[in-house]
Amino acid sequence: MDAARPALTRPPPLAGLRVLVPAVFLGWFFVYPLARILGRGMSADGFREVLTDTGLLEVAWFTVWQAAVSTTLTMVLALPAAYVFARFEFPGKAAARALLTVPFVLPTVVVGSAFLALAGPGGALGVRWDESVGLILAAHVFYNFAVVVRTVGGLWSHLDPRLVAAARVLGASPWQAFRRVTLPLLRPALAAAGSIVFLFSFTSFGVVLILGGARFATLEVEIYRQTTSFLDLGVAAALAVLQLAGVTAILLAYSRYQERRTVEQTLRPVAEAARRPRRWRERLLVAGVLGSSAVALGAPLLVLVERSLRFGGGYGLGNYRALGSRGGRGGLFTSATEAIGNSLGFAAVATVLAVVVGMLAASVVAYRRDRVSRWFDALLMLPLGTSAVTIGFGFLLALGWPVDLRTSWILVPIAHSLVAIPFVVRTVVPVMRSVRARLREAAAVLGAPPGQVWREIDLPMIARAGLVGAGFAFAISLGEFGATSFIARPDRPTLPIAIFRFLGLPGRFGQAMAMSVILMVVTAAAVLLIERFRVGHVGEF
């Protein structure tokens, strides 16, 4: 064993690139634009106004507590579904997992409109909850449900079921077995999912803008108002700094928690961990979770379908037929078919960027357990906590030098990948850290160089998590709206941009809903294909 120690201390393959590529990418496309816009807009007067204005302080407080409540509700309501998808096999499982992702990739303006159709004026439920915190929280749970199911369920599906079985044989109740055996092993994934849900609720824009009305606003909405309505870049920049400071503190705390709570464990293939439900209680649990999830997540989507079919005082396909023609008179300048092609092309490029940069960054966070990795981990998550308005405007302000990219189509997938990279990292890091170091040591003892150790030991175990991250990246790109609204060329709009344009035109609401249904179908088909590829080709691990 001692003779093998020098081999273990050699740097991993491409160690320099693992740090350099993500650092350069984030530095050029995130840190530099952010520094330019903050340097242009920050002032002492802006900070003074934020700290002395009770209305702005109330906005900050509302942002924090609604994000905390949204995260708690989402975790509690989604954990049963994560358990069912991780531990049971049932017909249509891949399709059901794909459909769960559809709400997450819908543009936030569409989600807000769907919940208004449910509980707004003349809503399907017959009650009015618009401009209420309850409807905002419900929309956040709807939007983030898939994050918990896929992130927590991804690790849960690899846990050795024999550990729980052994605890039960020793006399532990099901709750005791979960609390003392399963929960400690799931803590890294729970922390990852919770941090993502909190950040999305903390920076919520479209949902709060539509459902909150004039009474409620998050920091993200207030930054938008100060920038576009009042042209007060000083206050907007001060709010952005306040938002970034809070997000950074939370992410550093999360990174330290994950490092301390992660334990090495033997991960099992999904085929060994999942089985068909045998007893009637298990069948009832699967049916109940799937049924309740279908009702809660399907109701807003059914409303979208119903509104898309409402045409000329009745129902028909008129709204869909109208999408084939160019909408130049209404300001669209393209057809829905071309918008779909733009979205798919941008999503493919964004997925490649996010997976390459995200996997390199994840290896730094997972294998270097020091202060540098914690700060790097926090930097990777900062795009999620940054105003999309700030990112989009920063691109236009900063990316004219040394190469002018401001009119290039590549800016759109770059912006999408900035948001998707944290999902790749959060999905892969828990699996990377769970790989036993003794496996690498054994391979090194047998003479394998670092590159071969990575290919033969680590890569087969993290490939499944990498594909899950790729699915997240693709889905995020299809539905991204905030930054795209600033940088998309008028002749190459994405589908969410086209939907937003139609929502703002009189008499085009039905067509906007028709395009929303198309986005749902395209997203579901894309995620289903990824699921089939993941199961069929990465099969046994």
Side-chain angles (χ1 to χ4, degrees):
M1 179 67 72
D2 292 338
R5 289 301 178 187
L8 298 180
T9 60
R10 285 180 291 173
L14 303 178
L17 288 179
R18 292 185 179 190
V19 178
L20 182 62
V21 172
V24 170
F25 188 86
L26 290 171
W28 188 9
F29 295 114
F30 175 67
V31 177
Y32 175 54
L34 184 63
R36 284 292 305 273
I37 194 172
L38 293 182
R40 174 74 67 89
M42 280 195 304
S43 66
D45 292 338
F47 283 106
R48 188 180 303 111
E49 183 172 348
V50 168
L51 296 176
T52 57
D53 190 321
T54 56
L56 294 178
L57 293 177
E58 289 177 358
V59 168
W61 170 239
F62 172 73
T63 302
V64 172
W65 77 257
Q66 66 82 25
V69 175
S70 296
T71 302
T72 302
L73 290 175
T74 305
M75 298 293 287
V76 170
L77 295 176
L79 276 180
Y83 171 73
V84 166
F85 277 93
R87 289 309 196 197
F88 295 105
E89 290 291 343
F90 49 86
K93 180 178 178 178
R97 185 188 286 112
L99 292 175
L100 280 178
T101 309
V102 173
F104 177 68
V105 301
L106 286 177
T108 53
V109 291
V110 176
V111 174
S113 300
F115 274 82
L116 277 182
L118 277 177
L125 296 180
V127 294
R128 286 202 58 175
W129 290 341
D130 53 314
E131 297 193 17
S132 70
V133 177
L135 200 58
I136 292 174
L137 297 178
H140 285 167
V141 172
F142 170 86
Y143 192 75
N144 294 303
F145 193 88
V147 174
V148 179
V149 173
R150 296 183 70 100
T151 304
V152 178
L155 181 58
W156 207 337
S157 64
H158 289 294
L159 297 185
D160 193 342
R162 292 175 298 182
L163 299 175
V164 174
R168 295 298 308 278
V169 169
L170 294 174
S173 66
W175 167 246
Q176 289 175 326
F178 172 78
R179 183 169 60 88
R180 296 182 178 180
V181 178
T182 304
L183 185 59
L185 298 177
L186 285 178
R187 280 173 179 167
L190 290 170
S195 65
I196 292 173
V197 174
F198 185 88
L199 284 176
F200 269 96
S201 301
F202 188 81
T203 59
S204 183
F205 176 62
V207 167
V208 179
L209 186 66
I210 294 175
L211 301 180
R215 295 180 56 193
F216 302 103
T218 58
L219 287 171
E220 183 87 345
V221 173
E222 194 61 33
I223 292 170
Y224 174 79
R225 289 177 180 173
Q226 294 292 335
T227 303
T228 61
S229 300
F230 306 118
L231 301 179
D232 195 336
L233 290 181
V235 171
L239 291 172
V241 171
L242 180 64
Q243 185 183 52
L244 283 172
V247 169
T248 303
I250 293 166
L251 292 178
L252 287 175
Y254 156 74
S255 181
R256 181 177 294 272
Y257 173 87
Q258 185 188 58
E259 181 179 344
R260 292 180 175 179
R261 294 292 185 176
T262 300
V263 295
E264 291 185 352
Q265 54 187 297
T266 301
L267 301 179
R268 309 304 302 173
V270 173
E272 293 184 15
R275 58 176 175 78
R276 289 188 174 275
R278 303 188 186 102
R279 299 186 296 272
W280 69 269
R281 290 183 179 179
E282 293 178 343
R283 290 192 287 268
L284 183 62
L285 172 65
V286 172
V289 168
L290 294 179
S292 59
S293 299
V295 172
L297 301 180
L301 305 184
L302 290 176
V303 170
L304 290 181
V305 174
E306 187 269 338
R307 290 297 177 93
S308 72
L309 296 174
R310 187 180 296 181
F311 184 79
Y315 290 94
L317 299 177
N319 290 322
Y320 290 90
R321 296 191 185 98
L323 297 179
S325 59
R326 289 179 174 267
R329 185 179 62 181
L332 183 58
F333 301 111
T334 189
S335 67
T337 303
E338 292 172 337
I340 293 172
N342 293 336
S343 290
L344 291 176
F346 291 149
V349 177
T351 299
V352 173
L353 290 174
V355 170
V356 172
V357 178
M359 292 287 280
L360 292 173
S363 66
V364 176
V365 175
Y367 300 141
R368 287 190 55 166
R369 303 194 182 190
D370 54 17
R371 183 174 299 178
V372 173
S373 68
R374 288 196 296 270
W375 281 96
F376 193 60
D377 190 17
L379 175 63
L380 292 169
M381 291 293 287
L382 279 180
L384 291 180
T386 305
S387 166
V389 174
T390 301
I391 292 177
F393 187 67
F395 273 19
L396 298 180
L397 185 65
L399 296 185
W401 181 90
V403 179
D404 192 352
L405 299 175
R406 291 173 295 185
T407 60
S408 174
W409 63 269
I410 195 65
L411 276 190
V412 175
I414 287 175
H416 294 179
S417 66
L418 284 175
V419 180
I421 286 171
F423 285 87
V424 177
V425 174
R426 284 291 172 265
T427 304
V428 173
V429 165
V431 180
M432 282 185 172
R433 284 182 168 172
S434 297
V435 178
R436 292 184 179 274
R438 287 183 296 178
L439 296 176
R440 302 189 190 98
E441 293 176 357
V445 168
L446 295 174
Q452 186 178 2
V453 172
W454 165 257
R455 291 192 304 271
E456 301 294 336
I457 302 297
D458 294 79
L459 186 58
M461 294 186 179
I462 66 174
R464 184 180 294 274
L467 285 173
V468 172
F472 269 127
F474 193 85
I476 289 167
S477 180
L478 284 179
E480 206 284 327
F481 171 72
T484 311
S485 62
F486 270 79
I487 58 180
R489 293 173 52 176
D491 59 336
R492 298 192 69 174
T494 62
L495 200 51
I497 295 296
I499 293 171
F500 178 73
R501 290 177 180 176
F502 271 132
L503 283 174
L505 297 175
R508 300 292 187 96
F509 184 79
Q511 294 179 40
M513 294 298 99
M515 297 181 77
S516 301
V517 173
I518 292 174
L519 179 57
M520 287 192 298
V521 172
V522 172
T523 302
V527 176
L528 181 58
L529 287 175
I530 291 172
E531 287 290 333
R532 291 178 64 87
F533 176 82
R534 181 176 71 91
V535 173
H537 293 270
V538 192
E540 295 305 315
F541 213 82

